[in-house]
Amino acid sequence: MTEFTYNKAKLPSRHVTEGPERAPHRSYLYAMGLTKTQIHQPLVGVASCWNEAAPCNISLMRQAQAVKKGVSAAGGTPREFCTITVTDGIAMGHQGMKSSLASREVIADSVELTMRGHSYDALVGLAGCDKSLPGMMMAMVRLNVPSVFIYGGSILPGTWRGQQITVQDVFEAVGKHSVGALDDQSLEEIEQAACPSAGACGAQFTANTMATVSEAIGLALPYSAGAPAPYEIRDRFCMTAGEMVMELIARNIRPRDIVTRKALENAAVVVAASGGSTNAALHLPAIAHECGIDFDLFDVAEIFRKTPYIADLKPGGRYVAKDMFEVGGIPLLMKTLLDHGYMHGDCLTVTGRTIAENLESVKWNPNQDVVRPADNPITVTGGVVGLKGNLAPEGAIVKIAGMAQDKLAFTGPARCFDSEELCFEAVKNRHYKEGEVLVIRYEGPKGGPGMREMLATTAALYGQGMGDKVALITDGRFSGATRGFCVGHVGPEAAVCGPIALIRDGDVIELNAVTGVLNVRLTDAELEARRKDWKPRETDYQSGALWKYAQQVGSARDGAVTHPGGKAERHVYADI
């Protein structure tokens, strides 16, 4: 292993390890078994979102041990700590989902506070669930110490009666069961077969979307985000990440050297090209915000509009993350996008090399059909598009991957629900009509609070065979597993008297994913008259973490962030 040299006098850990006045601090480190040499080496935080809440997190502690070996081998001293996660699959469809987006901020904040409190010099962050990936990346760019991101890896697909299935199929099976199209035994078989291993949900849902982002944005090692959680190769990636962070310290390469405007654009490109989750349109602006870069929903949507959809991944396509890894991984996807002018090749990465240099030796694999060449796409428009209109002045987002071209426009009367539960109950009991636009409101960042995902409702619609016969719009979010004409992030949200709060049953709503329009057939004068009659609504959360979140959180357009961000900084932690 290469020996690196460091100037301890310029590293944050000098505040706890150097000089006679730090003898009390060092005594605590000796109490944990560290040697004098280890105490005076760079201290590297190894942060994981390990817990026993879900399979996406269960392997992270084991992988963290490999990271620590890499740090030690390269002359650093690893200090392991854990933070929380809220797992969307288990939080879905009930009040628990209100904790999900808020957990992103808690993850970023808790990593920041641990790093600051103990003066660690660098960070390797391991994450597995939907919000833990962006939360960990937000912490990295906020702290701006040398950092490497590690994804815990995706789950393996399940098999039921000869068919490959994922957790998406379980949610949709609930809808089939509700209309008598699936019996109790079959539902039980599906739920027992869908998730056969450790790892995050296996298709291009939010976790795998943000894992793809981690490589494209430059914070993860090439290929590391594609390897499934059970694969032993993950330990090699983790050890290499530990070694690499020591090189980044020596070379003083920091996250904000990597996460630039161009890197954010690269990240948006791979989301669209892979038919990724609409949640990326929340998380990329939030990561940018930590750096002080303006990059909102409209910036993301413009890149989505110009990017071809080329990876045939579920939920809209045929394959899962494991399949893409085995035919060439995320670098295969990035290589064809770079070759055809859709990515910036000059962006720096955690390897110390540029995107183009990392991809130089990647060869196109003609013996696969998981990823298409960028000049022969599945569709010329990305798998995710942005919408705007008098119903969404601050924008909205819809995932169109897998949708037929003749289904990209929808006009119908509104059917309004002031919570997800009310809409789900109507869907479960078939109290809706073909051709309607179901509206779920007061589920935004403030109004929920917490901006819940609506997978239980959308999957039930598909299970009932109605997924392409109705549309759904919300100021909340959709799971990466959602499919159909489902528009999320409608802003301004209902809780702040956005237009979505003013529409009534029967108002005609126009959606068009080709022209990017989301309108209600009401004049400005009609909307203004209704606005005068509108009254704010209180949530049930008048204390505790969700109350606090609701007081701080901003609009979905800007990433639903809770603090002023990089532009307001007077100093960066890395420079203390």
Side-chain angles (χ1 to χ4, degrees):
M1 182 66 216
T2 304
E3 289 291 328
F4 301 113
T5 57
Y6 314 97
N7 184 352
K8 186 79 168 184
K10 292 185 177 181
L11 295 180
S13 63
R14 72 186 185 277
H15 295 296
V16 296
T17 65
E18 306 307 303
E21 68 277 14
R22 300 310 181 203
H25 307 65
R26 291 191 295 271
S27 72
Y28 284 112
L29 300 177
Y30 282 119
M32 291 183 284
L34 296 188
T35 65
K36 183 176 181 180
T37 297
Q38 288 173 319
I39 289 171
H40 293 290
Q41 292 178 158
L43 304 184
V44 177
V46 179
S48 84
C49 300
W50 176 86
N51 57 45
E52 294 182 334
C56 37
N57 310 308
I58 203 70
S59 70
L60 293 178
M61 185 175 287
R62 176 186 63 78
Q63 294 187 45
Q65 308 319 303
V67 171
K68 290 163 67 177
K69 290 178 182 177
V71 172
S72 298
T77 302
R79 308 313 298 150
E80 183 180 1
F81 63 95
C82 292
T83 184
I84 70 158
T85 49
V86 174
T87 299
D88 287 6
I90 290 177
M92 192 73 67
H94 56 88
Q95 294 286 306
M97 178 51 77
K98 293 185 177 183
S99 299
S100 172
L101 186 57
S103 75
R104 184 189 73 179
E105 312 310 305
V106 174
I107 291 162
D109 292 351
S110 62
V111 172
E112 176 196 357
L113 292 174
T114 301
M115 294 286 292
R116 283 185 182 275
H118 303 95
S119 296
Y120 295 153
D121 301 315
L123 173 63
V124 180
L126 298 94
C129 276
D130 294 359
K131 306 308 167 298
S132 61
L133 279 79
M136 194 66 74
M137 287 185 261
M138 288 162 65
M140 289 175 175
V141 293
R142 184 187 300 177
L143 293 160
N144 204 33
V145 290
S147 302
V148 179
F149 178 83
I150 286 286
Y151 179 41
S154 69
I155 201 168
L156 298 178
T159 302
W160 179 68
R161 298 182 184 177
Q163 297 178 337
Q164 183 172 282
I165 61 172
T166 70
V167 72
Q168 173 194 351
D169 297 282
V170 188
F171 278 99
E172 294 184 5
V174 172
K176 293 178 182 177
H177 184 268
S178 72
V179 295
L182 194 73
D183 60 31
D184 291 348
Q185 181 181 339
S186 296
L187 179 60
E188 185 173 357
E189 289 175 5
I190 290 171
E191 71 180 67
Q192 291 179 358
C195 300
S197 73
C201 298
Q204 200 68 346
F205 308 151
T206 305
N208 280 323
T209 297
M210 295 309 296
T212 306
V213 160
S214 71
E215 287 195 29
I217 210 168
L219 290 174
L221 297 170
Y223 297 100
S224 67
Y231 284 18
E232 292 299 322
I233 196 175
R234 291 224 55 82
D235 286 357
R236 291 165 55 190
F237 285 126
C238 291
M239 183 155 180
T240 302
E243 295 170 342
M244 184 57 65
V245 80
M246 299 306 297
E247 181 173 342
L248 296 179
I249 297 173
R251 297 177 62 183
N252 196 29
I253 295 176
R254 301 182 180 185
R256 294 191 197 178
D257 300 323
I258 293 168
V259 181
T260 61
R261 170 73 187 223
K262 283 184 176 181
L264 289 158
E265 291 174 357
N266 283 346
V269 165
V270 297
V271 173
S274 64
S277 170
T278 55
N279 284 312
L282 271 180
H283 301 322
L284 293 178
I287 293 168
H289 177 75
E290 301 288 354
C291 304
I293 298 172
D294 292 326
F295 192 68
D296 67 12
L297 173 65
F298 293 121
D299 296 310
V300 175
E302 177 59 19
I303 294 165
F304 287 172
R305 184 186 64 80
K306 298 185 295 186
T307 304
Y309 167 43
I310 60 173
D312 194 8
L313 298 172
K314 290 186 176 186
R318 295 176 292 164
Y319 296 105
V320 295
K322 175 189 78 74
D323 300 320
M324 186 161 77
F325 176 70
E326 290 176 349
V327 301
I330 295 165
L332 182 74
L333 174 73
M334 292 170 57
K335 176 68 169 177
T336 186
L337 290 165
L338 177 67
D339 287 348
H340 292 92
Y342 292 102
M343 294 190 73
H344 304 289
D346 57 345
C347 293
L348 185 65
T349 75
V350 291
T351 65
R353 301 185 297 272
T354 65
I355 290 281
E357 289 169 336
N358 286 345
L359 298 177
E360 188 174 357
S361 62
V362 175
K363 305 298 182 186
W364 179 252
N365 178 0
N367 301 311
Q368 56 84 35
D369 61 353
V370 180
V371 179
R372 301 266 289 268
D375 61 348
N376 182 30
I378 300 167
T379 60
V380 294
T381 300
V384 182
V385 299
L387 306 176
K388 188 178 182 182
N390 72 341
L391 189 47
E394 290 185 358
I397 203 89
V398 61
K399 183 172 184 175
I400 63 169
M403 290 176 62
Q405 290 297 301
D406 62 355
K407 301 292 185 182
L408 297 183
F410 195 104
T411 299
R415 180 61 119 21
C416 300
F417 303 92
D418 288 349
S419 73
E420 181 193 9
E421 284 87 354
L422 291 172
C423 186
F424 182 76
E425 195 66 22
V427 169
K428 184 176 71 171
N429 295 310
R430 303 296 294 268
H431 292 164
Y432 65 94
K433 297 177 182 177
E434 182 176 330
E436 287 184 325
V437 179
L438 309 183
V439 179
I440 305 178
R441 59 193 178 190
Y442 296 100
E443 291 287 6
K446 287 184 181 294
M451 204 178 183
R452 281 193 288 183
E453 291 183 350
M454 309 292 171
L455 178 59
T457 302
T458 60
L461 287 167
Y462 255 90
Q464 293 174 356
M466 297 294 286
D468 60 352
K469 295 179 174 61
V470 296
L472 197 156
I473 71 170
T474 182
D475 54 6
R477 303 180 292 126
F478 291 113
S479 164
T482 289
R483 52 185 177 141
F485 213 138
C486 298
V487 179
H489 306 194
V490 174
E493 62 174 294
V496 297
C497 197
I500 194 172
L502 307 177
I503 57 178
R504 299 171 182 166
D505 288 350
D507 289 343
V508 177
I509 295 174
E510 302 171 335
L511 306 99
N512 193 312
V514 178
T515 60
V517 168
L518 174 53
N519 279 333
V520 58
R521 288 181 185 169
L522 294 172
T523 66
D524 290 346
E526 288 171 315
L527 287 170
E528 189 57 37
R530 293 185 186 184
R531 186 170 282 110
K532 292 175 181 177
D533 295 331
W534 179 82
K535 298 288 190 299
R537 294 166 53 95
E538 282 194 347
T539 74
D540 292 336
Y541 297 87
Q542 294 302 305
S543 185
L546 290 175
W547 175 86
K548 184 161 53 176
Y549 178 80
Q551 310 314 303
Q552 298 172 325
V553 71
S555 125
R557 171 179 175 168
D558 299 312
V561 295
T562 57
H563 67 105
K567 282 190 172 181
E569 286 175 345
R570 297 193 178 182
H571 79 91
V572 178
Y573 163 73
D575 295 327
I576 62 171

